[in-house]
Amino acid sequence: MKKTLLAVAIASALLPNFAFAEEGDWVVRLRAVSVSPNESSKLGQTVNKNVGAGTMTSSADLKVDDNVIPELDFSYYITKNIAAELILALGTKHDVKVRGDALTTVGDQNLGEVNLLPPTLTLQWHFRPDQTFDPYIGAGVNYTHMLDRNLKFSRNALAGTKIKIDSDSWGLVAQAGFDVNLKDGWLINADVKYVQIDTDVKAKLASGWTKIDSLDINPWVIGIGIGKRF
């Protein structure tokens, strides 16, 4: 990914000026993005507090794996420098695992997968909209709808016990990237976002649904793609 972004940046410096952004323009981009969770989990501590002391190793946590997905977005240029971007990732599935538990009640195991649908709206500042190489920064808000929320313990004393992602998530987004403007309104884009996603995780125990973790997923979303200005 780093080599690809470097190649795009070098190529942009060698290209002549072509089509540039103007107030009222629309841009449609299609990116391939890597979604890399930067999760924060206190599974062991929460289980020991809410289920029973000594149930898990206190440092045990939940891990959410990476995924590569397509991403579609639409930008509207409010002014030449300011654009609003609606980002529509097409759903991203992630395996969820218990890691770091040395005890036998739970133990390290796979819990299944979750499917996240995270539409995002950002407001961007484009530094050089009238140049071939146009870097930008942005900030905004994300809403993540949790699909396929049902997980379960697969082995040991809690085998078959259902787990659920309890709620959807609202969070802030930070963004940076650049466009390389080409002929006829086409462009190359590279983009990085940091997205706040957090939710509670619950297990269906004999006493009912019990909170076992406050999970912050907080992924880095790194993408590269093409776009068309209209």
Side-chain angles (χ1 to χ4, degrees):
M1 178 67 73
K2 291 182 179 179
K3 291 183 178 179
T4 302
L5 296 180
L6 179 61
V8 170
I10 293 173
S12 70
L14 303 177
L15 292 171
N17 292 342
F18 291 121
F20 307 118
E22 298 292 343
E23 179 180 338
D25 281 358
W26 287 89
V27 175
V28 179
R29 298 181 185 85
L30 180 65
R31 302 184 182 110
V33 299
S34 172
V35 182
S36 301
N38 182 36
E39 66 269 52
S40 175
S41 165
K42 295 182 178 179
L43 177 67
Q45 294 178 33
T46 308
V47 167
N48 289 341
K49 176 182 177 181
N50 295 341
V51 179
T55 303
M56 298 187 71
T57 304
S58 61
S59 59
D61 55 16
L62 290 178
K63 296 295 184 184
V64 184
D65 75 345
D66 299 353
N67 197 7
V68 177
I69 62 169
E71 180 185 273
L72 180 67
D73 72 77
F74 302 89
S75 292
Y76 176 73
Y77 279 76
I78 301 168
T79 70
K80 185 170 68 171
N81 295 94
I82 301 173
E85 182 179 72
L86 178 62
I87 302 161
L88 299 174
L90 304 181
T92 173
K93 288 188 176 182
H94 299 271
D95 291 333
V96 181
K97 305 172 183 178
V98 177
R99 288 292 179 265
D101 185 24
L103 303 181
T104 58
T105 303
V106 179
D108 287 0
Q109 58 181 287
N110 298 334
L111 303 180
E113 65 181 18
V114 293
N115 192 359
L116 311 180
L117 185 64
T120 300
L121 180 64
T122 64
L123 196 65
Q124 301 171 343
W125 175 265
H126 287 255
F127 291 92
R128 305 174 65 203
D130 54 356
Q131 300 294 320
T132 299
F133 180 70
D134 174 24
Y136 60 84
I137 58 173
V141 63
N142 163 265
Y143 170 72
T144 300
H145 180 50
M146 307 291 183
L147 303 170
D148 301 333
R149 302 181 186 188
N150 294 320
L151 306 169
K152 66 179 180 180
F153 290 109
S154 58
R155 63 187 185 86
N156 295 339
L158 295 178
T161 300
K162 293 182 178 179
I163 302 169
K164 69 176 181 180
I165 304 298
D166 190 52
S167 60
D168 295 341
S169 171
W170 288 92
L172 300 177
V173 180
Q175 180 184 34
F178 61 82
D179 289 325
V180 179
N181 295 304
L182 306 174
K183 288 183 178 180
D184 302 320
W186 289 97
L187 56 88
I188 297 171
N189 174 262
D191 184 89
V192 178
K193 292 181 287 291
Y194 185 75
V195 185
Q196 289 183 329
I197 301 176
D198 59 80
T199 188
D200 288 340
V201 182
K202 295 184 176 180
K204 191 173 185 180
L205 305 176
S207 58
W209 286 106
T210 302
K211 180 178 175 180
I212 60 172
D213 199 7
S214 294
L215 178 64
D216 296 338
I217 301 175
N218 297 347
W220 288 97
V221 183
I222 303 173
I224 188 168
I226 59 173
K228 183 70 168 67
R229 191 184 315 280
F230 298 94

